[in-house]
Amino acid sequence: MRKQTTIDLSISLVLVLAFVALPHFYSNLTILFMMAMYMVLSQGVNLLYGLTGYMPFGYVGFFGAGAYGFSIALQHLHFPIVLALIFGVLFTSLVGVILSPLLRLSGAYFAIGNLATSQVIYGIVANSHLQGITGGGDGVDISQYFNQTASYYVMLAVLLVVMVGIIWVKRSSFGLSLQAMRDDSVSVAMSGVNVVRNRMLVWLASAAIAGLCGAIYAWFISFFYPSSVFDVSIGIFAIVFMLFGGQGTIFGPVIGTIILYGIYNVIGVSTPQYFQLAYGVLIVILVMFLPNGVLSLFKRGRRAHGRVLESRPNF
Amino acid sequence: MGAFLKVDQISKRFGGFYAVNGLSFELKQGEILGLVGPNGSGKTTCINVLSGIYAADGGTVEFDGKMIHTMPSYKISNIGINRTYQIPKCFHSLTVKENIDVALAHAKHKPQVDPVEFLELQGIMGRNAGTLNTAQQKTLDLARALATGPKLLLVDELAAGLNPEETESMTTKLLHLSEQGVSIIVVEHLLSFVHALTKRVIVMNAGKQIFEGDLESASKDPLVNQVYLGGDAV
Ligand SMILES: Nc1ncnc2c1ncn2[C@@H]1O[C@H](COP(=O)(O)OP(=O)(O)O)[C@@H](O)[C@H]1O
Ligand SMILES: [Mg+2]
């Protein structure tokens, strides 16, 4: 194993262990859960956007699908928690397969198309004709399974797995072919790379990550409305955290989430009226001066192992 | 032995305009064919069809006993056809080494030559492909193509932008590959580079073949001279 890989794995382990220990020093488990969840979600966006250039503005569609898939498996199929989580992920992957024709669009068309489809899923779930299955607009109540401690630790386990996965992808020849795909999708095919299949794999992996987050979130809060798990801002948060930290990097999404979600909880809770302003200003600064995120500040001229992608989406 | 590559009546149109219009030719193993013609005559489009970047609108292509005109590019690469590009298409954010590694990782055939040694890229392996000059990027395109161990190599205007010394060295290399059994189609709009590589050329104009034969006769052919505006390209 390469030295840099060992370092990256160690940092990831320390990160997760810190979150394992944190509840003993800090009592607001919801904030810790949400922070871990956003790290995972923004890694999911990072996988898709950072490696293939597709910007999933409707990422929350998968999150919501996972939340509902999980809840339906619990309530109607009476699955145990673990199987219900798996069901949620499989259900989300199925949604991913159904939505895969979106990958034929590029750039802004993909982003908008993805946003629109997430709202269609929302519309279907909230529809009163499906009241018997989804609960419709009345929401879902799975409070008999309420267990915040367990769901928190499951989220941490997922965080660790996703971190290891990202590190593997970045170092593997699969990851290299993805980056080559982003540079030139025509000549990469002549190198023998099956572009359509690779895109599909990344798309489904990214969908599955969001679906799993949604499922664990549903378990954690155990009562929710369609509007709360299909809230577009969940996906947008994940995108902004990823962009802020550094797209295509291993730790960008983690750093971005810690800083921005941290600020959100300080300013957003005490003086919510300033939050929108601060956030808006931050995004403008980011796009103008730091298109590759804060991590790029430390990576200048040290490209060899960080492999920061260029900010060149496939628009 | 029969034809290794058999192109039969292929066409490709963009809207109502035929960029390639009923082109047919054959190629033997290890043979070098010059595909020449003025700018816009359809040479690059022909290469794009052979490499699966465009599906042909008509006609068939048979390579090594397989019909390939409906295959996607990655499969075409897998069965042993590869190419370079008139405008280089390297992976700009990757290093030279990583560019070649992508091709090596997906190669289905053992390369005939070590692309790095063969093309003398040792000195620039760590550089970002985006920082290379055009001649270097063209060489890198060729290195990636060779990394897949192609049995048929399509080179599109490889000599353009190379200095005379580099052109001569490239000529030697292509001749060496042909001796190893690699069939090569050399696309050029100037004939001097082709002259050093092969006797056999096809001259295209407006998507059609207007001449097939040896280069000397081509330069005396009135139609060829006409499309080349008085033959100054020869
Ligand atoms: N993707 C495309 N869309 C529309 N027209 C094209 C396209 N590619 C090539 N053409 C047209 O087809 C003709 C042949 O082009 P090309 O094959 O590049 O010629 P050559 O390589 O011989 O210079 C030109 O008129 C060119 O404008
Ligand atoms: Mg051309």
Side-chain angles (χ1 to χ4, degrees):
Chain A
M1 208 187 311
R2 276 197 274 163
K3 189 166 157 251
Q4 188 60 36
T5 308
T6 317
I7 295 173
D8 291 342
L9 286 173
S10 311
I11 297 175
S12 305
L13 191 62
V14 168
L15 170 79
V16 173
L17 289 178
F19 270 81
V20 168
L22 269 170
H24 299 290
F25 307 101
Y26 182 74
S27 61
N28 194 333
L29 194 64
T30 303
I31 288 186
L32 294 177
F33 176 88
M34 294 301 283
M35 196 168 253
M37 183 188 91
Y38 273 120
M39 284 178 187
V40 176
L41 268 184
S42 57
Q43 283 296 17
V45 174
N46 190 29
L47 193 62
L48 187 64
Y49 179 72
L51 295 177
T52 68
Y54 286 101
M55 178 59 95
F57 272 148
Y59 198 50
V60 74
F62 294 134
F63 183 84
Y68 272 91
F70 168 75
S71 307
I72 289 169
L74 278 183
Q75 289 183 307
H76 299 283
L77 306 173
H78 308 290
F79 281 9
I81 295 285
V82 174
L83 277 187
L85 288 173
I86 293 171
F87 183 86
V89 171
L90 293 179
F91 179 72
T92 311
S93 305
L94 181 67
V95 173
V97 171
I98 292 167
L99 297 187
S100 64
L102 276 176
L103 295 174
R104 290 187 202 162
L105 303 174
S106 64
Y109 299 102
F110 170 84
I112 292 164
N114 182 229
L115 183 59
T117 51
S118 74
Q119 293 311 292
V120 170
I121 303 171
Y122 174 24
I124 292 170
V125 166
N127 192 301
S128 55
H129 292 291
L130 289 178
Q131 185 103 22
I133 304 170
T134 64
D138 291 345
V140 170
D141 184 355
I142 46 172
S143 47
Q144 73 260 41
Y145 303 98
F146 182 78
N147 188 342
Q148 293 209 319
T149 313
S151 47
Y152 176 68
Y153 286 111
V154 169
M155 185 57 91
L156 295 187
V158 170
L159 175 61
L160 186 60
V161 170
V162 166
M163 290 306 299
V164 172
I166 289 275
I167 291 167
W168 174 79
V169 165
K170 293 286 292 179
R171 303 270 185 262
S172 67
S173 76
F174 177 67
L176 197 59
S177 74
L178 291 178
Q179 201 179 338
M181 248 164 69
R182 232 188 109 163
D183 278 356
D184 196 314
S185 62
V186 171
S187 68
V188 79
M190 284 315 294
S191 291
V193 175
N194 187 340
V195 173
V196 174
R197 191 201 59 185
N198 280 5
R199 266 189 197 142
M200 185 73 175
L201 284 176
V202 175
W203 168 249
L204 290 182
S206 177
I209 287 173
L212 188 53
C213 277
I216 303 172
Y217 176 79
W219 182 23
F220 184 85
I221 56 171
S222 80
F223 177 81
F224 59 90
Y225 294 103
S227 58
S228 46
V229 292
F230 284 103
D231 181 353
V232 172
S233 67
I234 294 175
I236 302 296
F237 268 34
I239 289 169
V240 172
F241 298 165
M242 179 270 310
L243 284 178
F244 180 81
Q247 50 130 337
T249 65
I250 290 168
F251 294 106
V254 172
I255 307 278
T257 303
I258 292 176
I259 296 176
L260 289 191
Y261 196 66
I263 294 175
Y264 170 74
N265 279 296
V266 174
I267 309 178
V269 174
S270 57
T271 48
Q273 66 275 29
Y274 294 128
F275 171 69
Q276 305 270 7
L277 179 67
Y279 223 54
V281 170
L282 208 87
I283 291 171
V284 171
I285 292 173
L286 208 67
V287 171
M288 288 179 65
F289 301 109
L290 266 187
N292 280 323
V294 288
L295 274 189
S296 64
L297 289 176
F298 308 99
K299 289 265 165 78
R300 292 262 156 81
R302 210 161 59 79
R303 206 195 139 271
H305 40 65
R307 195 182 290 148
V308 179
L309 296 172
E310 283 167 28
S311 60
R312 199 147 38 83
N314 71 352
F315 276 39
Chain B
M1 198 189 68
F4 193 49
L5 175 75
K6 192 170 173 190
V7 176
D8 192 18
Q9 289 290 320
I10 57 162
S11 10
K12 173 66 200 168
R13 45 164 217 273
F14 298 106
F17 169 77
Y18 277 88
V20 173
N21 195 350
L23 187 69
S24 303
F25 63 89
E26 293 186 358
L27 194 65
K28 295 197 206 50
Q29 198 155 12
E31 188 183 1
I32 301 182
L33 170 71
L35 189 59
V36 300
N39 270 326
S41 56
K43 307 178 299 290
T44 297
T45 305
C46 172
I47 297 294
N48 285 342
V49 169
L50 293 183
S51 55
I53 288 171
Y54 297 141
D57 293 311
T60 58
V61 182
E62 188 183 333
F63 170 73
D64 206 5
K66 298 175 201 79
M67 301 309 275
I68 64 159
H69 50 279
T70 55
M71 276 188 189
S73 290
Y74 80 94
K75 280 195 183 153
I76 292 210
S77 162
N78 287 345
I79 64 165
I81 299 179
N82 224 297
R83 62 171 293 176
T84 68
Y85 306 86
Q86 184 170 356
I87 298 157
K89 288 170 83 66
C90 307
F91 311 132
H92 291 257
S93 72
L94 304 188
T95 63
V96 171
K97 179 179 186 307
E98 289 168 335
N99 265 266
I100 297 170
D101 282 348
V102 171
L104 282 175
H106 296 87
K108 293 279 183 283
H109 308 277
K110 195 179 173 309
Q112 294 88 346
V113 291
D114 177 334
V116 178
E117 272 176 32
F118 187 66
L119 297 169
E120 295 145 66
L121 294 172
Q122 296 92 336
I124 56 169
M125 290 299 275
R127 277 183 58 191
N128 251 1
T131 67
L132 302 178
N133 66 36
T134 307
Q136 289 171 320
Q137 291 195 0
K138 283 194 169 183
T139 311
L140 178 54
D141 274 354
L142 181 58
R144 282 188 316 186
L146 293 180
T148 64
K151 292 180 269 180
L152 170 63
L153 182 65
L154 317 166
V155 293
D156 196 355
E157 313 253 355
L158 191 57
L162 298 189
N163 65 36
E165 211 175 290
E166 289 164 339
T167 308
E168 201 186 310
S169 141
M170 194 55 85
T171 307
T172 317
K173 284 171 176 141
L174 292 184
L175 286 172
H176 175 78
L177 289 170
S178 141
E179 279 159 25
Q180 305 269 305
V182 181
S183 309
I184 305 175
I185 297 178
V186 184
V187 166
E188 280 296 327
H189 86 278
L190 297 179
L191 298 185
S192 49
F193 180 55
V194 179
H195 185 71
L197 286 166
T198 182
K199 292 258 167 290
R200 185 184 165 213
V201 295
I202 285 176
V203 185
M204 284 183 78
N205 188 44
K208 291 186 166 154
Q209 175 190 314
I210 57 163
F211 178 90
E212 175 174 9
D214 66 84
L215 203 53
E216 262 92 80
S217 332
S219 57
K220 294 185 193 104
D221 187 273
L223 191 53
V224 172
N225 275 285
Q226 193 189 325
V227 305
Y228 270 109
L229 294 171
D232 56 14
V234 187

